[in-house]
Amino acid sequence: MAKLHVTTTINGDPVEFLCEPHHTMLDVLRGSLGLTGSKEGCGSGDCGACSVTLDGRLVCSCLMLAAEAEGHQIRTIEGMAEGEMLHPLQQKFLEMAALQCGICTPGMLVAAKALLEHNQEPTETEVRYWLAGNLCRCTGYDKIVRAVLETAAEMRGAAR
Amino acid sequence: MNEHSNKWIGQRTIRPDGADKVTGRAAFGADTTMPGMIWGKVLRSPHAHARIRSIDTSKAESLPGVKAVVTARDIVNFTTDKPFILGIQDMRWMCRNVMAREKVLFHGHPVAAVAAATEEIAAEACKMISVEYEVLPWVIEIEDAIKPDAPILHEFNKLDGKPSNITGKLEHKLGDIAAGFAQAEVIVERSFKTRPVHQGYIEPHACLVSVASDDKTTIWSSSQGQFMVRAMTALLTGLTQSDIRAIPAEIGGGFGGKTIVYLEPLATMLSKKSGRPVKMVMSREEVMRASGPTSGSSSTVKIGATKDGRIVAAHGIYYLQAGALPGSPIRGAAGCSFAPYDIPNVLSQGFDVVSNRSKVVAYRAPGAPIGAYAVECVMDELAVALKMDPLELRLKNAAKQGTKAAHGPVYPRIGFVETLEAARAHPHYKAPLGKHHGRGVASGFWFNAGGESSAQVNITEDGNVVVMTGHPDIGGSRAAIANIAAELIGIDYKSVSVLIGDTATIGYSNMTGGSRVLFASAMVVTQSAEKVITILRARAAKIWNIDPDAVTWEDGAARPAGDNAGKFAPLTLAEIAAKATETGGPIGAGVQLNTTGAEGGFATHICDVEVDVDLGIVRVLRYTAFQDVGKAVHPSYVEGQMQGGVAQGIGWALNEEYIYNRNGQVDNAGFLDYRMPVCSDLPMLDAVMIEIPNPKHPQGVRGVGEVPLVPVMAAIANAIHDALGIRFYSLPMSPPKVLEALDLPRAAE
């Protein structure tokens, strides 16, 4: 089977890769591109550990074919910090212990960042429903929700 | 240690592994690759129970790209007549669990494994292996497995001289229950059922193994114990432990489910045969079909009390599913269920029952939640029968220092009463409830554990500290260890680096499990740090040319003990480290111990629910967990354990269950249909930490990870009863079951 040639942008960088037609975006990120920050917890779009954004929209990279990245903008957990400056969500997750084992954390952070880009003032309920596609088995979500709400408040404060 | 002088212990510091985990750098089980690496896949049984007549792998082996095939012939056989115990596992069952031997015992049981150039080729090759099966009758549920004419899984297992699926028994006895029940004025006896539930870690099992031609083997894998991986893999492959270096990956959740091996021995033999590094990763479906959930159960609990609410006798009978091979957590069910109470006459019996399901493995306080669900629901009914407040009934019978527990110990200072008093005094207990709302309470106990641990504390040449221990960090233990080392040595916690060693770089350390890690590693880290401080004092004494006893260590510096010792400016850690070479060499110390003194953990929970009477959906509105945590070395991660345990319990109580179809296969082997709580299902979970220091630990640590799961199912069942007046005697209390129960009284009206 001939491989497909894909030209795309990942975390702002131009990227080219070859993939099989059946390869998912997650396969390619974790495989030939070596971006293993996105995790495979289920492969069926149920756990959100592979969350990335496609042109700013939150998607499960396990449900997206790699070939669909052609001409689009992908952002992964590896592109969330700017240099050594953590994103406020990353910093807040650390300060508030919003992670235990850390396997869901990359997807959770990518999803939370997408939320705050859509909604700068989410309610607790909005945070809970937005993150309902990201399973965490360790934390009971309490500290995650608090960290997202507090980051949102701080970012609003900083923007004023 | 002076409680008030703590600078780092009790602080919410940032975990040493944090930056890696929020940026995607942390390497979990499936994140490592090697040059020349190939992929392994497992062929699994399509039958729930069948004899393997023959396996022909020749076609698969001739497929281009296939590098090796293994079957049970490549795995060391531990014959069924001789027990071979490793920790809490028996290698007779482990060798049959990683690869089916005489028979396949459940749908999804491994039959063969293939390594090939790509995952696709390996999967294709699996399909080309031809296995001839003699399909046998199978049995899934406990009540069917213990019938006299049930299909027998293991013909060699006999009970009263006859082949049986009951593969183990355990009994705890205190006093005389017949005499006790004779004194009772109120007796409640009920039977309960629970379904198997999966630990639900988000990271599937994964490993990468490289075996060189001289048998030198490196294993990267995600587990709750790299030393367990080394020992089991050595036993199952015939390699020596010294040839195996097991490197712990970051672990993406375990909850007990990663305390045994599945893939490592297979990947090792595939690598040995192919001469190539082999990577294996389970799919979620494989995790659900073939890795261990905890037991389903069938229990009967009877408790008798006098009219004034004094419990005089208790009898518990717990049948637990072991899955296809013996070894269910009957000790947890029978041992923990009555442990919160001071009861003079107790009989607590556990029965281990095999059936054609995947082998169970530990899940957070293994067995204890099953026992507590039954006991704490009966306690609630008893409180109603006695017209007593449920917390008052528990307080009246609460175990305290000096209480003799049926499972053996006489308790030292414990904090169970304090959890009950805190619950009773909490605003949650008195908050008003709305329509179809209900409030329930329940308590729980877990043994906690000590065991083997090793630590090494080294001072770097620039005067910083590197601490190494041997337990995979599942939920922030590195952060707590950093707090302790910083406290003892008297430096900023940021100067302490905490690492998890592999089997070649740190001494033997038992698994991350049993709520033992901080208890045990704090002990070895404390003793190592104390040795290091002794060395630092000696070095300062040498520099000052005075007696080491005349030097004290305070706030990260050596100081003369008093005016008699001489007048010297303090020597900091950095100053002493800089002179290490000329004062005697590198500075560091290690300690290896079999730790003891882990005392039990107690918790009491309050839960409010709302029942949607049209849809049958139970929603947890408010939840407060009270726990004797000993000493919260890092409070955030203690709260995190409490909140996580509660969330798992909510899933167990309301939604999670394995659904088997008529062919003995799991029908919901994925996260869509095996419904774990998601963020929008839960409220904030309030964790109230009560610190009654463990008198047998240098920092007062008690295990905190497991007991938070124990009371949850009963707390929710009791809350639903409060809301609806209906008791549920089986889990999960899922919408169809709730609707069915709601329809019953209506039909009768």
Side-chain angles (χ1 to χ4, degrees):
Chain A
M1 203 179 333
K3 290 201 172 185
L4 302 173
H5 178 267
V6 177
T7 304
T8 184
T9 306
I10 298 180
N11 299 327
D13 298 332
V15 171
E16 290 179 54
F17 60 81
L18 294 174
C19 67
E20 303 282 352
H22 66 271
H23 277 160
T24 66
M25 192 66 232
L26 182 61
D27 291 335
V28 171
L29 287 173
R30 291 185 51 80
S32 57
L33 299 181
L35 295 172
T36 54
S38 303
K39 306 300 178 189
E40 180 160 348
C42 66
S44 55
D46 297 310
C47 78
C50 65
S51 296
V52 301
T53 56
L54 171 68
D55 297 337
R57 198 174 141 217
L58 182 64
V59 296
C60 286
S61 60
C62 75
L63 294 183
M64 173 188 164
L65 289 171
E68 293 179 287
E70 177 72 36
H72 292 285
Q73 297 266 349
I74 308 281
R75 291 202 81 89
T76 71
I77 185 64
E78 287 89 349
M80 194 159 167
E82 284 182 31
E84 59 175 7
M85 235 348 228
L86 293 180
H87 185 276
L89 278 165
Q90 291 172 309
Q91 186 60 35
K92 193 57 70 184
F93 267 50
L94 291 180
E95 288 167 8
M96 296 182 69
L99 62 149
Q100 282 178 35
C101 80
I103 194 87
C104 74
T105 309
M108 202 64 87
L109 284 166
V110 167
K113 179 166 176 271
L115 167 65
L116 298 190
E117 281 162 5
H118 281 76
N119 180 353
Q120 282 81 43
E121 203 164 351
T123 62
E124 182 192 332
T125 303
E126 285 171 330
V127 172
R128 288 191 178 277
Y129 278 86
W130 183 277
L131 295 180
N134 291 79
L135 285 177
C136 170
R137 191 61 155 173
C138 293
T139 65
Y141 305 104
D142 183 297
K143 292 186 191 304
I144 293 173
V145 174
R146 288 178 198 275
V148 174
L149 287 169
E150 193 152 322
T151 308
E154 281 182 17
M155 286 174 77
R156 289 196 302 275
R160 272 186 203 121
Chain B
M1 174 176 298
N2 181 349
E3 188 73 14
H4 304 292
S5 70
N6 282 347
K7 191 167 175 192
W8 297 110
I9 291 175
Q11 294 301 308
R12 298 174 189 259
T13 53
I14 288 181
R15 57 196 286 165
D17 54 324
D20 276 354
K21 288 199 170 138
V22 297
T23 54
R25 277 189 191 83
F28 290 83
D31 296 341
T32 302
T33 53
M34 257 193 107
M37 184 186 94
I38 58 174
W39 288 84
K41 288 273 179 205
V42 176
L43 173 68
R44 297 179 182 274
S45 167
H47 303 294
H49 195 193
R51 199 170 302 286
I52 301 172
R53 285 211 182 114
S54 66
I55 303 179
D56 181 357
T57 60
S58 55
K59 271 192 198 151
E61 282 169 83
S62 61
L63 183 70
V66 170
K67 305 293 179 191
V69 179
V70 300
T71 64
R73 259 182 263 178
D74 301 288
I75 300 294
V76 174
N77 183 14
F78 290 82
T79 57
T80 57
D81 54 340
K82 273 185 284 195
F84 191 111
I85 305 299
L86 184 79
I88 60 164
Q89 301 296 336
D90 186 327
M91 297 310 293
R92 292 179 295 172
W93 319 138
M94 288 313 304
C95 83
R96 282 164 180 77
N97 197 47
V98 300
M99 195 66 96
R101 196 156 277 280
E102 304 84 5
K103 298 200 288 188
V104 291
L105 297 164
F106 60 93
H107 176 250
H109 199 166
V111 176
V114 176
T118 67
E119 286 185 88
E120 289 86 353
I121 297 171
E124 189 58 32
C126 282
K127 291 185 203 153
M128 295 167 72
I129 295 172
S130 130
V131 186
E132 201 188 337
Y133 293 105
E134 175 195 342
V135 177
L136 300 170
W138 43 265
V139 60
I140 301 290
E141 303 298 345
I142 290 174
E143 50 272 36
D144 298 324
I146 60 177
K147 280 180 187 160
D149 58 345
I152 297 294
L153 274 76
H154 307 293
E155 291 80 0
F156 53 82
N157 178 67
K158 303 265 183 358
L159 186 76
D160 303 327
K162 279 187 279 191
S164 170
N165 290 324
I166 296 179
T167 44
K169 279 192 200 178
L170 177 145
E171 193 171 286
H172 293 302
K173 212 171 170 180
L174 192 66
D176 174 356
I177 56 162
F181 281 115
Q183 295 167 34
E185 292 164 304
V186 180
I187 294 175
V188 177
E189 179 176 4
R190 296 285 181 261
S191 292
F192 300 85
K193 280 190 171 32
T194 69
R195 312 293 290 167
V197 290
H198 198 270
Q199 295 81 355
Y201 34 82
I202 308 300
E203 179 201 34
H205 300 264
C207 70
L208 169 61
V209 181
S210 175
V211 184
S213 56
D214 59 358
D215 281 350
K216 291 281 183 284
T217 300
T218 309
I219 302 175
W220 290 265
S221 77
S222 162
S223 80
Q224 287 176 242
Q226 60 273 41
F227 290 90
M228 173 280 295
V229 168
R230 181 178 76 174
M232 284 200 178
T233 305
L235 287 167
L236 294 170
T237 61
L239 292 169
T240 61
Q241 289 192 1
S242 59
D243 273 341
I244 299 175
R245 180 176 184 188
I247 300 175
E250 294 302 325
I251 168 170
F255 314 106
K258 292 176 182 168
T259 55
I260 62 173
V261 293
Y262 294 97
L263 299 174
E264 290 90 339
L266 311 184
T268 299
M269 291 314 295
L270 288 169
S271 177
K272 191 170 158 64
K273 280 186 146 180
S274 65
R276 304 274 289 269
V278 174
K279 183 165 178 169
M280 298 182 83
V281 181
M282 278 197 201
S283 66
R284 177 55 51 183
E285 184 180 340
E286 287 177 297
V287 172
M288 295 303 291
R289 291 198 191 289
S291 74
T294 193
S295 308
S297 69
S298 183
S299 309
T300 299
V301 165
K302 180 179 173 185
I303 301 180
T306 52
K307 272 185 192 155
D308 63 348
R310 176 80 190 119
I311 298 174
V312 287
H315 185 194
I317 303 169
Y318 311 97
Y319 285 87
L320 267 63
Q321 284 166 347
L325 293 152
S328 66
I330 48 178
R331 182 175 156 263
C336 294
S337 52
F338 296 119
Y341 305 109
D342 183 359
I343 307 174
N345 305 294
V346 176
L347 180 60
S348 197
Q349 299 166 295
F351 296 90
D352 188 51
V353 183
V354 291
S355 64
N356 296 108
R357 298 169 167 271
S358 55
K359 174 180 163 50
V360 305
V361 65
Y363 178 27
R364 205 167 202 151
I370 291 170
Y373 163 58
V375 167
E376 296 295 313
C377 285
V378 169
M379 287 292 284
D380 205 60
E381 287 200 51
L382 192 62
V384 172
L386 291 163
K387 299 187 173 61
M388 275 180 86
D389 173 273
L391 289 177
E392 293 301 331
L393 174 63
R394 286 172 174 83
L395 268 168
K396 186 151 193 148
N397 295 282
K400 39 186 99 59
Q401 186 165 2
T403 297
K404 164 83 178 156
H407 68 281
V410 174
Y411 294 129
R413 179 76 172 93
I414 54 172
F416 180 45
V417 166
E418 284 82 352
T419 70
L420 291 164
E421 287 172 342
R424 189 175 56 176
H426 196 275
H428 183 173
Y429 200 54
K430 295 165 207 82
L433 290 166
K435 196 182 176 197
H436 300 311
H437 291 189
R439 177 167 299 143
V441 300
S443 296
F445 168 83
W446 173 247
F447 306 114
N448 291 330
E452 306 92 332
S453 285
S454 301
Q456 176 72 32
V457 175
N458 289 335
I459 307 299
T460 59
E461 300 95 287
D462 62 358
N464 289 290
V465 179
V466 178
V467 181
M468 188 176 280
T469 63
H471 311 294
D473 175 0
I474 255 184
S477 57
R478 272 179 284 219
I481 291 168
N483 282 1
I484 289 172
E487 185 76 49
L488 295 174
I489 300 173
I491 49 171
D492 191 296
Y493 87 100
K494 285 181 188 155
S495 302
V496 182
S497 175
V498 184
L499 306 172
I500 311 302
D502 65 57
T503 58
T505 57
I506 188 73
Y508 177 81
S509 300
N510 209 323
M511 282 188 280
T512 295
S515 298
R516 64 174 296 271
V517 165
L518 192 64
F519 170 84
S521 49
M523 276 190 173
V524 287
V525 168
T526 297
Q527 292 192 17
S528 303
E530 284 168 351
K531 283 189 177 185
V532 164
I533 290 167
T534 303
I535 296 168
L536 291 166
R537 285 171 46 223
R539 299 299 174 88
K542 196 163 186 179
I543 293 167
W544 291 332
N545 200 21
I546 62 173
D547 191 287
D549 288 340
V551 179
T552 61
W553 187 263
E554 256 172 63
D555 280 341
R559 297 160 204 272
D563 289 343
N564 292 343
K567 284 216 181 299
F568 301 102
L571 276 170
T572 64
L573 184 61
E575 286 164 339
I576 298 172
K579 292 193 171 141
T581 301
E582 54 266 39
T583 56
I587 301 169
V591 167
Q592 297 179 275
L593 276 183
N594 181 25
T595 64
T596 58
E599 294 300 334
F602 293 86
T604 297
H605 291 185
I606 308 174
C607 170
D608 291 356
V609 300
E610 174 180 37
V611 184
D612 181 325
V613 293
D614 296 317
L615 298 174
I617 296 170
V618 176
R619 204 176 166 80
V620 176
L621 296 177
R622 184 172 181 183
Y623 205 105
T624 312
F626 304 83
Q627 187 174 324
D628 171 14
V629 301
K631 175 71 199 168
V633 174
H634 193 302
S636 298
Y637 292 108
V638 175
E639 290 165 354
Q641 287 297 318
M642 294 169 68
Q643 292 161 337
V646 169
Q648 286 186 314
I650 291 171
W652 192 342
L654 297 179
N655 276 99
E656 295 176 35
E657 65 177 317
Y658 276 56
I659 298 167
Y660 275 77
N661 66 23
R662 286 187 300 176
N663 299 317
Q665 301 163 337
V666 177
D667 249 356
N668 57 334
F671 280 148
L672 185 61
D673 299 316
Y674 183 89
R675 180 67 161 69
M676 309 198 308
V678 302
C679 198
S680 53
D681 293 333
L682 301 180
M684 293 298 185
L685 303 168
D686 293 329
V688 178
M689 297 177 286
I690 297 159
E691 294 187 310
I692 310 292
N694 176 357
K696 300 179 183 173
H697 190 274
Q699 285 84 27
V701 169
R702 289 179 204 270
V704 297
E706 280 162 296
V707 77
L709 175 58
V710 180
V712 186
M713 284 66 77
I716 294 175
N718 295 339
I720 295 174
H721 170 258
D722 190 44
L724 300 178
I726 299 172
R727 297 264 176 205
F728 287 85
Y729 296 104
S730 72
L731 302 180
M733 296 172 286
S734 52
K737 214 182 275 177
V738 173
L739 279 183
E740 196 183 12
L742 280 167
D743 283 345
L744 280 178
R746 283 177 190 169
E749 272 163 16

